[in-house]
Amino acid sequence: MNIYSPEDIELVMSRLLGNEAGDDVESGIGEESRQEFIAKVGQEVAAAVTAERGRRDRTVIFAGSDICGAYALETAISLHRLGEAAEVYLINIGGNRLTPDCRAARERFVAEFGEDFLFETTGLQLQLPDIDSGVVVVDGLFGHEHSGPLMGGYQHLARFINESDAFVVSIDLPSGMSTDLSVGMINRNIIHADVTLTLVGPTAAFYMPENAELLGRWRVLPVITDRSVFKDIKSTVKLVEARHVKNILPERDRFASKADLGDAILFAGSYGMLGAAVLATRAALRSGCGKVTCFGPRCGFFVMQTSAPCAMYETDGSDMDIHHFELSRNYDGIGIGPGIGRSDATVRGLESFLKAAGASSKPLVLDADALNCIALRPAMLDFVPVNSVLTPHPGEFDRLFGTQPSSAARLLKAVEMARKHSLIIVLKGHYTATVWPDGSVILNSSGTEALATAGSGDVLTGLLTGFIAQGIHPAYAAVAAVYIHGLAGHMARNRHGVRGVTAEDLTQYIGMAIEAVVSPNK
């Protein structure tokens, strides 16, 4: 599924609607004329408002002076035709600000229903209705055509709506919200929608946690029937779904032996954090990998042999944590980080290993304390082999690349760093973003709040390392591992409830999650 940039949306809408110049409206290349399209949007919004109305007894529509205001007025026309009286508050400061689209929609409304339901602001004093929890508010002030924060009376109006406890439906976009990954937006100056009815499709901003309270539930209205308006749109942000992951995961040859299915090693664990090593190792074993080795300190020997008996265990001979990161053979997948700690000896050992790994150019999976160790000595980042995968949560990312003010800023920084260092960065969250070295962003669709549990990231590291060991390119392995990890979370949630899921549960459902994707009809 494409996630559109603001430029993509602008291009699609200009192809669809053509250009507006004075009173002359040129139709776009779509099947419907501009006026027919605006009316169609109004009909779909009206249907959505009717479905959401419930026991609320009034509908109040706020219409701006541009095309979003035209959508709002057409919504009012459709509601009145359905027998639902709707009050329209039209913002027309100075009495001459309406665009031809908006003016034409206003004339159609007045011609059919008169001016009893139309309250038009032409001066500087806004006309405001009484609204409360019994009212549906349709926000048709501004859509994607507006850029920049709301100012003056519009800012006052946004706060008035937000404080009213009304049920808010926004057309195209909550007024005041930007379609790009804007940093530093003040949410109280943006209308908070309960439902957002967007026209083209989502942008990356729709998937940022800070914007969840602005968008509410959102969906794309089925108003664009001419798909040719999307030609040549090459989105750099996409949403991955099960069918994409199925194409990534290799089929299992029925004559395969463990020697054919990859050999993975995980550098994991230290005194007091051996659970991380257990979880990562169990996940790698469940990934379908043929052989898995855990490398850790001597204190982990009996724990690992009893908790993950199917895996081998190696140690550098140190008692409490790893001092020397050593490879006894040519492993197909290498993961480093879960529970290794940040002792001086571990940091030095990791630095020496990365310098050697950089020379060998074998991609690595780096997570948890591996990232924290690198953050202590940032120069280590220069030795990480290209196409290695970093899997930070927000705190680890900020320690490594600098504190970011928002999720959107963090994603933009991840794109910058992935390009600069030729790395794959898995920025963990509800919609985990996998950022490729070319700047592409793959958002995950299988996230669940059940994954917000200690050790969840260790499971992802083991799963990802196991996939890479099976010969999947790290960029695709990251996308697949994130999706399967989320799907396992959903399965565990169905069994234990959202609050009862532990990371141990996730390891138990990895195999079933893979099977559900690879063989969905079984």
Side-chain angles (χ1 to χ4, degrees):
M1 175 180 171
N2 286 336
I3 310 298
Y4 300 100
S5 70
E7 293 76 22
D8 293 335
I9 291 175
E10 189 63 38
L11 179 58
V12 168
M13 293 304 293
S14 66
R15 286 173 172 175
L16 185 71
L17 297 175
N19 300 311
E20 186 180 48
D23 293 331
D24 298 323
V25 177
E26 301 175 6
S27 62
I29 65 172
E31 296 176 359
E32 298 96 358
S33 70
R34 186 182 183 104
Q35 182 175 321
E36 288 171 338
F37 176 79
I38 293 170
K40 186 175 183 179
V41 172
Q43 292 163 11
E44 291 291 341
V45 174
V49 169
T50 300
E52 296 284 355
R53 186 166 185 169
R55 296 182 179 179
R56 301 173 185 91
D57 56 6
R58 286 174 61 214
T59 300
V60 173
I61 299 175
F62 290 96
S65 58
D66 207 334
I67 192 167
C68 199
Y71 299 144
L73 285 159
E74 289 292 348
T75 299
I77 292 172
S78 294
L79 285 171
H80 277 265
R81 287 173 179 170
L82 293 170
E84 297 185 24
E87 305 163 32
V88 181
Y89 288 78
L90 177 61
I91 313 300
N92 182 19
I93 305 299
N96 58 353
R97 297 293 181 88
L98 303 185
T99 62
D101 288 323
C102 194
R103 185 167 61 252
R106 178 193 183 283
E107 290 171 357
R108 286 192 292 274
F109 180 83
V110 171
E112 192 165 348
F113 304 106
E115 297 189 2
D116 289 346
F117 293 94
L118 179 63
F119 304 89
E120 186 170 355
T121 296
T122 57
L124 298 178
Q125 187 66 37
L126 288 174
Q127 296 187 58
L128 296 177
D130 293 327
I131 53 177
D132 54 27
S133 59
V135 175
V136 176
V137 166
V138 178
D139 163 30
L141 294 173
F142 299 107
H144 77 278
E145 76 278 1
H146 175 78
S147 60
L150 296 180
M151 305 295 289
Y154 289 112
Q155 187 180 103
H156 173 73
L157 181 54
R159 295 183 185 181
F160 170 76
I161 293 172
N162 292 341
E163 295 166 5
S164 69
D165 201 30
F167 187 90
V168 180
V169 177
S170 285
I171 303 174
D172 194 19
L173 200 68
S175 294
M177 181 180 165
S178 174
T179 53
D180 63 11
L181 291 173
S182 295
V183 177
M185 290 192 300
I186 301 174
N187 282 11
R188 68 192 180 112
N189 295 337
I190 301 169
I191 287 180
H192 293 203
D194 294 284
V195 174
T196 298
L197 305 172
T198 195
L199 306 184
V200 176
T203 70
F206 280 47
Y207 297 90
M208 298 297 104
E210 293 88 353
N211 294 335
E213 66 174 344
L214 305 178
L215 293 159
R217 290 180 284 115
W218 63 266
R219 65 183 177 90
V220 183
L221 285 181
V223 291
I224 300 179
T225 56
D226 183 358
R227 305 308 294 178
S228 68
V229 296
F230 290 95
K231 69 177 182 180
D232 303 324
I233 299 290
K234 297 179 179 180
S235 301
T236 59
V237 183
K238 295 183 181 295
L239 186 74
V240 70
E241 297 173 328
R243 59 192 173 90
H244 306 121
V245 177
K246 180 180 180 180
N247 294 332
I248 292 173
L249 297 177
E251 293 186 8
R252 174 72 68 94
D253 189 323
R254 60 178 176 154
F255 295 108
S257 73
K258 66 181 181 182
D260 303 315
L261 299 174
D263 190 359
I265 186 169
L266 289 159
F267 292 91
S270 61
Y271 185 78
M273 292 190 289
L274 294 170
V278 172
L279 293 168
T281 302
R282 286 179 175 175
L285 289 165
R286 294 285 185 184
S287 73
C289 185
K291 293 182 286 186
V292 178
T293 300
C294 181
F295 189 106
R298 291 176 60 189
C299 66
F301 183 83
F302 292 108
V303 172
M304 293 301 303
Q305 291 292 277
T306 55
S307 299
C310 298
M312 295 171 282
Y313 192 76
E314 295 182 1
T315 177
D316 65 344
S318 55
D319 291 326
M320 299 297 183
D321 50 20
I322 302 172
H323 292 184
H324 304 285
F325 294 75
E326 302 166 348
L327 297 175
S328 59
R329 57 182 181 272
N330 186 26
Y331 290 92
D332 302 304
I334 304 170
I336 307 174
I340 64 174
R342 288 172 279 178
S343 72
D344 290 343
T346 298
V347 173
R348 288 195 300 270
L350 180 60
E351 183 174 30
S352 297
F353 179 82
L354 288 179
K355 288 179 178 179
S360 71
S361 298
K362 183 182 285 291
L364 309 172
V365 178
L366 299 171
D367 180 39
D369 279 332
L371 301 178
N372 293 328
C373 289
I374 294 173
L376 294 173
R377 295 189 183 182
M380 276 197 265
L381 197 60
D382 295 330
F383 298 104
V384 176
V386 297
N387 288 322
S388 290
V389 186
L390 279 57
T391 62
H393 60 56
E396 291 163 348
F397 184 92
D398 287 2
R399 282 192 286 274
L400 193 57
F401 297 115
T403 301
Q404 304 300 316
S406 67
S407 298
R410 198 169 289 114
L411 179 56
L412 292 172
K413 187 69 173 180
V415 170
E416 177 189 346
M417 292 296 101
R419 282 174 166 158
K420 177 179 179 181
H421 297 284
S422 297
L423 299 173
I424 298 142
I425 298 178
V426 176
L427 193 54
K428 291 184 283 196
H430 185 83
Y431 295 104
T432 292
T434 299
V435 183
W436 289 351
D438 66 354
S440 297
V441 177
I442 313 299
L443 296 173
N444 183 52
S445 65
S446 68
T448 167
E449 57 271 34
L451 296 175
T453 185
S456 175
D458 303 320
V459 173
L460 177 61
T461 298
L463 176 60
L464 173 53
T465 303
F467 279 170
I468 292 175
Q470 293 173 68
I472 305 174
H473 187 281
Y476 295 104
V479 171
V482 168
Y483 186 89
I484 295 298
H485 184 251
L487 185 56
H490 280 280
M491 292 178 171
R493 173 181 181 164
N494 292 339
R495 177 69 177 84
H496 300 286
V498 65
R499 294 170 177 81
V501 173
T502 69
E504 292 176 278
D505 300 324
L506 298 178
T507 64
Q508 297 299 314
Y509 285 96
I510 286 174
M512 294 175 63
I514 294 173
E515 196 69 15
V517 169
V518 174
S519 304
N521 297 322
K522 284 188 178 180

